[in-house]
Amino acid sequence: MDKYLIKMPIKSKTNVVEKPEKVIVKKETPKMSRKPAKKDTPKELKDKENTGEDNTPKQTKAGRNGRQAAKRKNLDTPEVKDDKIKEEIENPPKRRSSRLTRSTRSMAEDGSPSPEKEKPEKLPFIKYKGAIKYFTENHDIASSAEEVLQWVEKQKDEIVPMAFDMEWPFSFQTGPGKSAVIQICVDVKCCYIYQLTNLKKLPAVLVALINHPKVRLHGVNIKSDFRKLARDFPEVSAEPLIEKCVDLGVWCNEICETGGRWSLERLTNFIAKKAMDKSKKVRMSKWHVIPLDENQLMYAAIDVYIGQVIYLELERRDKAKTKNEDEFKEQNGDAAFKAVKALGETFLAKINEVTL
């Protein structure tokens, strides 16, 4: 019994001694915290980290020595977050590029976006409300052409403009087919459509009409149409027609002093301020099949109607330009005219005051 009582206090002593030793060890181990961390504020630590002055090791994937968790917590305090937000507002990070684009520069300087960035203007579609005279047989075409020829001869003007265009079928396997349709317009209120499917030879009066000395045929890329018509119908000679025709795109470049090649659609947008409904389904349709449907007839009529409108507008601008140039030369002389012309003046608008 005495032995047992003696052993018990020995065990209790050892236990009591071990426990405080373990507690002391736990308190002494976290020596990673440094004194500068206590003195420096979180903002100063962040500044040191950005400038490279902070030499504390960073944690890596390989498990190397890292920063204390306490420091990370201190850097994410509400005060530090507020400071970060203020810094980002005053000095935005590089990933948010502050470089001005061309459109934003023009908006800042001129108050409006640059012209090349502006949305294209939505133009109203052409609405043709005139008459469409459609013929398919040889004698009907000849009779209609004779009627137009007599009307031309009665005109007092030396030049009678006539819009001219052609249509033909096209296949990706066989290529372009034979000329199938001829459209002409001498008056914006009436268009003539002649379908050539049943014709082995063009009527002589129709050939005489397009070769009449008073008639000035015009269109966009019209010379190619004459060459094709001459290949399909040998009674037509392309060269005399090419010599006296007017390509509306080339004429527009001369009057408005523009450049480049024009399509009928673009020229309509630029001169007439209208849009064309160039449906591929209709444009690539079977133009040799009789009869043409309403969509085909309207498509063919609009092509020559708008061509006549463009010609008349270009003619008006040409006369106004010539008049303005002559008046300017009389008032200021040829030297002043050449100087102003060199600056890019087209003389389409009247010049009221000129200071050299």
Side-chain angles (χ1 to χ4, degrees):
M1 191 67 180
D2 294 336
K3 291 180 180 181
Y4 180 76
L5 293 173
I6 293 168
K7 289 179 181 179
M8 287 297 291
I10 294 170
K11 289 182 179 180
S12 60
K13 286 180 181 179
T14 55
N15 290 337
V16 171
V17 172
E18 289 177 358
K19 284 183 180 179
E21 288 178 356
K22 290 181 180 179
V23 173
I24 292 169
V25 171
K26 287 182 180 179
K27 289 181 180 179
E28 292 177 355
T29 49
K31 295 181 179 180
M32 294 177 68
S33 60
R34 297 183 178 182
K35 292 180 180 180
K38 295 180 181 180
K39 293 180 180 180
D40 295 337
T41 61
K43 186 176 179 180
E44 293 174 347
L45 289 172
K46 187 66 178 178
D47 295 338
K48 285 185 177 182
E49 183 180 353
N50 292 334
T51 55
E53 294 178 0
D54 191 3
N55 298 323
T56 55
K58 296 182 180 179
Q59 188 176 0
T60 60
K61 293 182 179 179
R64 297 177 182 176
N65 294 333
R67 300 181 185 278
Q68 293 182 9
K71 286 187 178 181
R72 294 179 182 174
K73 289 182 180 179
N74 291 336
L75 293 174
D76 294 334
T77 57
E79 295 178 355
V80 175
K81 288 181 179 179
D82 293 339
D83 294 337
K84 286 181 180 180
I85 293 171
K86 290 180 181 178
E87 289 178 2
E88 288 181 358
I89 293 173
E90 295 175 357
N91 301 315
K94 291 183 179 180
R95 63 176 178 273
R96 298 178 184 175
S97 177
S98 60
R99 179 174 57 86
L100 294 175
T101 59
R102 187 172 184 178
S103 60
T104 53
R105 282 199 303 268
S106 61
M107 289 177 68
E109 296 171 0
D110 303 332
S112 60
S114 55
E116 61 269 21
K117 296 297 181 180
E118 290 181 355
K119 293 183 180 179
E121 182 183 359
K122 290 185 179 180
L123 301 172
F125 283 102
I126 301 168
K127 293 182 180 180
Y128 176 66
K129 299 180 180 179
I132 299 176
K133 296 185 178 182
Y134 170 51
F135 304 97
T136 60
E137 300 301 327
N138 193 328
H139 63 280
D140 293 333
I141 294 173
S143 177
S144 174
E146 178 66 28
E147 179 184 348
V148 177
L149 182 61
Q150 291 178 3
W151 181 87
V152 169
E153 290 178 345
K154 291 178 182 179
Q155 301 302 307
K156 296 180 180 180
D157 298 330
E158 295 181 359
I159 295 175
V160 178
M162 179 187 294
F164 181 91
D165 196 16
M166 290 172 51
E167 306 292 345
W168 55 83
F170 181 85
S171 173
F172 289 103
Q173 287 77 24
T174 59
K178 187 178 180 180
S179 301
V181 177
I182 286 178
Q183 311 107 276
I184 62 174
C185 178
V186 292
D187 185 0
V188 293
K189 296 181 180 179
C190 183
C191 296
Y192 296 85
I193 299 176
Y194 302 141
Q195 194 166 10
L196 313 177
T197 304
N198 294 335
L199 275 63
K200 295 181 180 179
K201 185 179 180 180
L202 291 182
V205 65
L206 179 58
V207 177
L209 174 62
I210 61 178
N211 284 284
H212 195 280
K214 291 179 69 173
V215 171
R216 178 177 287 177
L217 298 175
H218 60 82
V220 177
N221 198 21
I222 191 173
K223 296 179 182 180
S224 299
D225 289 345
F226 290 146
R227 294 188 180 99
K228 178 167 178 53
L229 185 64
R231 288 194 300 268
D232 296 338
F233 296 93
E235 61 272 17
V236 176
S237 179
E239 292 306 319
L241 296 174
I242 291 173
E243 287 179 3
K244 67 171 187 175
C245 74
V246 176
D247 190 309
L248 295 178
V250 176
W251 199 26
C252 175
N253 288 337
E254 293 175 358
I255 297 172
C256 302
E257 299 185 13
T258 53
R261 299 182 63 183
W262 293 91
S263 65
L264 181 59
E265 185 176 7
R266 289 182 59 232
L267 202 58
T268 301
N269 300 155
F270 181 65
I271 299 296
K273 302 301 180 183
K274 297 285 184 180
M276 298 185 71
D277 187 8
K278 282 290 185 180
S279 171
K280 187 177 180 180
K281 183 179 179 181
V282 180
R283 179 166 53 87
M284 304 290 289
S285 61
K286 299 177 180 179
W287 290 100
H288 62 291
V289 176
I290 298 175
L292 299 176
D293 60 30
E294 293 182 0
N295 293 329
Q296 288 175 311
L297 290 174
M298 183 58 68
Y299 182 99
I302 285 178
D303 274 2
V304 287
Y305 159 74
I306 198 62
Q308 190 74 355
V309 171
I310 292 171
Y311 180 92
L312 296 175
E313 174 61 21
L314 288 175
E315 186 179 41
R316 185 192 68 80
R317 295 189 185 190
D318 189 23
K319 291 178 180 178
K321 179 181 179 181
T322 304
K323 182 181 178 182
N324 292 340
E325 288 179 350
D326 293 340
E327 291 180 356
F328 184 86
K329 288 179 182 177
E330 291 178 2
Q331 296 175 4
N332 302 278
D334 291 339
F337 171 77
K338 292 179 181 179
V340 175
K341 194 73 174 176
L343 297 174
E345 176 58 49
T346 60
F347 286 89
L348 290 175
K350 183 69 176 177
I351 301 177
N352 296 323
E353 296 181 3
V354 178
T355 55
L356 298 177

